[in-house]
Amino acid sequence: MSGGASARAIGTHPAADSLWAATAPAAPDAQPLQGRQTADVLVVGAGYTGLSTALHLAASGARVCVLDAHGIGWGASGRNGGQVNPSLKHDPDELVRRYGAARAELLIQAVSGSADLVFDLIARHGIDCAPVRAGWLQVGYTEQAVAGMHARARQWKRHGVPAALLDRAEVAARIGSTAFAGGWWDGRAGAVQPLAYARGLARAAQALGVRLHGGSPVAKLVRQGARWVASTAGGHTVEAGQVVLATNGYTDGLWPGLARTVLAANSFIVATRPLGARGDTILPGGETGSTSQRLLLYFRKDAEGRLLMGGRGHFTDPAGASDFAHLERATALMFPDLGPLEYAHRWAGRIAVTRDFMPHLHQPAPGITMALGYNGRGIALATSMGREAAALVGGGVPERCPYPITPIQPIPLHGLQRFYVAAGVAWYSLLDRLSA
């Protein structure tokens, strides 16, 4: 077993060994749906998008019901690395080229403000999720990679983002590793206990009257007159004037074509036991970090001093500790002075990757809104998209929405997505090795 013994065997579910499930406050009550209910708005999915949508709608007086096939934060909202990164795959200059200056500026400001929204909600509702806002470090192994990151940092600085360009020595001091040639620091970012954050949003929504029901998979959604009726697998129903679908990497066939607009890629994470004093030189300022590789690694310490390392894994859910060996090897290479490490937690979750690497809002029919596709940046973006979905449902003008509202466009030959992901991982892994 690579890098030390596991605290326990990997469970049958990919989140069974999650650090977050082991350390989060208890989940609020969310009993399965029973009978027939009515609401102004039905939200399908109790992750960040759905919970943020419900919370913002309820704050404006709407009667909201949230259904989830499993439970609050069951998907990637409870299984990610806990990094609150207000960013997109594309830099500001590219966004201006795509959308024009005025439209791009709305989008840039929404993205930049997404971390503010997360930390404001945490403070306003007293969410117990170990929030830290010390920024994010993106680092690279080569001078060529660092030059690209410095260009990115300059772009964001022009849009008012607190950013710093870092050389090799500065990165080594901030991360505690000499593996990198340099990078940049984004002061907007931070970290949370992600499952605790999701559960805190749920409690805040419930306090405003939102009805939450776990164990309630929606099997059918039909239009009846001016309203929608959702039926669960157990035959229970919710009737609502508006519906928001917020299922991201766990989107199924409930709405035709929607699941084929994203590739559901697995992200794997490992966490050590608390490092104690030997971890004092690693990320001493509390920042989060990630590499600039195509198949990036992301890392941080949690509130108890555990070191987390995450990255892409194979398409299928993990079956055992050996599926995480690549992350443990990466940790040893990045932080050799730590010596042998004992890994107490290993888990995985699905991110939703879109064809254009942008988050997507869809309104394909009257009374229905969909938000998904965060490309691994879900805590900040999903919270922000939930707020914007709520504004649209509440009568907001689509043209004023900072996130583009687009038609549903399935990825061609989507049925071969396992091949796409596996081939892409192999190809980008090769490119990363060649450019190292």
Side-chain angles (χ1 to χ4, degrees):
M1 187 177 296
S2 174
S6 174
R8 56 193 182 278
I10 300 293
T12 56
H13 187 271
D17 202 39
S18 164
L19 167 63
W20 311 130
T23 59
D29 185 53
Q31 294 298 311
L33 180 70
Q34 296 292 323
R36 182 174 181 270
Q37 293 191 21
T38 61
D40 297 325
V41 184
L42 166 66
V43 177
V44 180
Y48 303 135
T49 308
L51 294 169
S52 176
T53 301
L55 178 61
H56 285 96
L57 282 168
S60 66
R63 296 180 304 123
V64 185
C65 179
V66 179
L67 301 182
D68 195 278
H70 301 280
I72 295 162
W74 179 89
S77 294
R79 306 190 217 167
N80 60 78
Q83 297 195 17
V84 185
N85 290 342
S87 62
L88 295 170
K89 173 75 170 178
H90 305 294
D91 295 328
D93 289 357
E94 172 62 22
L95 296 175
V96 170
R97 283 191 291 270
R98 283 176 175 239
Y99 301 109
R103 185 72 180 172
E105 188 60 29
L106 282 176
L107 176 59
I108 289 166
Q109 292 307 314
V111 171
S112 278
S114 61
D116 292 334
L117 175 61
V118 169
F119 289 103
D120 287 348
L121 289 172
I122 290 169
R124 188 185 318 158
H125 297 287
I127 297 175
D128 178 15
C129 63
V132 177
R133 198 170 190 186
W136 167 64
L137 298 164
Q138 188 185 37
V139 294
Y141 295 99
T142 67
E143 294 296 341
Q144 181 182 6
V146 173
M149 284 182 284
H150 285 181
R152 173 178 300 122
R154 292 187 186 98
Q155 288 185 42
W156 283 108
K157 286 181 75 172
R158 290 199 298 270
H159 290 272
V161 170
L165 283 63
L166 306 175
D167 62 20
R168 181 184 297 273
E170 290 168 321
V171 164
R174 286 183 182 239
I175 289 182
S177 172
T178 59
F180 303 105
W184 74 292
W185 171 79
D186 182 343
R188 301 169 296 175
V192 297
Q193 209 281 24
L195 181 56
Y197 172 58
R199 290 176 175 177
L201 289 177
R203 287 190 184 88
Q206 285 180 321
L208 293 177
V210 173
R211 289 164 282 158
L212 295 175
H213 299 283
S216 303
V218 178
K220 188 176 182 182
L221 183 63
V222 297
R223 185 82 166 173
Q224 292 186 358
R227 296 176 69 78
W228 292 93
V229 177
S231 304
T232 70
H236 309 286
T237 63
V238 177
E239 179 184 317
Q242 297 270 353
V243 175
V244 176
L245 300 186
T247 46
N248 204 43
Y250 295 84
T251 298
D252 58 17
L254 182 62
W255 188 270
L258 184 62
R260 293 186 285 119
T261 66
V262 298
L263 296 177
N266 259 328
S267 192
F268 287 18
I269 306 175
V270 297
T272 68
R273 294 192 181 278
L275 297 177
R278 66 173 172 158
D280 288 349
T281 60
I282 296 174
L283 298 167
E287 302 98 333
T288 64
S290 66
T291 65
S292 62
Q293 296 161 288
R294 297 169 183 86
L295 294 178
L296 61 83
L297 297 167
Y298 53 93
F299 47 92
R300 57 168 289 204
K301 289 194 300 186
D302 79 342
E304 303 302 321
R306 302 175 183 90
L307 178 60
L308 283 72
M309 182 67 69
R312 299 294 174 259
H314 51 67
F315 189 89
T316 56
D317 289 334
S322 62
D323 291 330
F324 298 83
H326 62 298
L327 297 176
E328 295 169 24
R329 287 194 297 269
T331 306
L333 290 170
M334 195 179 297
F335 303 107
D337 293 343
L338 287 177
L341 292 170
E342 185 175 2
Y343 289 89
H345 301 276
R346 299 176 176 92
W347 70 98
R350 295 180 196 166
I351 64 170
V353 179
T354 58
R355 191 179 183 185
D356 57 2
F357 298 106
M358 290 290 293
H360 287 181
L361 274 170
H362 306 300
Q363 290 189 309
I368 191 156
T369 301
M370 305 161 182
L372 76 171
Y374 308 118
N375 298 280
R377 299 162 175 84
I379 298 180
L381 287 182
T383 303
S384 177
M385 287 273 277
R387 179 177 64 180
E388 298 306 328
L392 288 170
V393 168
V397 179
E399 290 75 18
R400 295 179 183 174
C401 179
Y403 297 99
I405 302 171
T406 59
I408 293 176
Q409 295 180 323
I411 296 171
L413 301 176
H414 186 273
L416 297 176
Q417 67 166 300
R418 289 174 183 252
F419 170 78
Y420 291 159
V421 173
V425 167
W427 172 243
Y428 285 134
S429 179
L430 174 62
L431 291 179
D432 285 333
R433 288 197 298 271
L434 292 174
S435 61

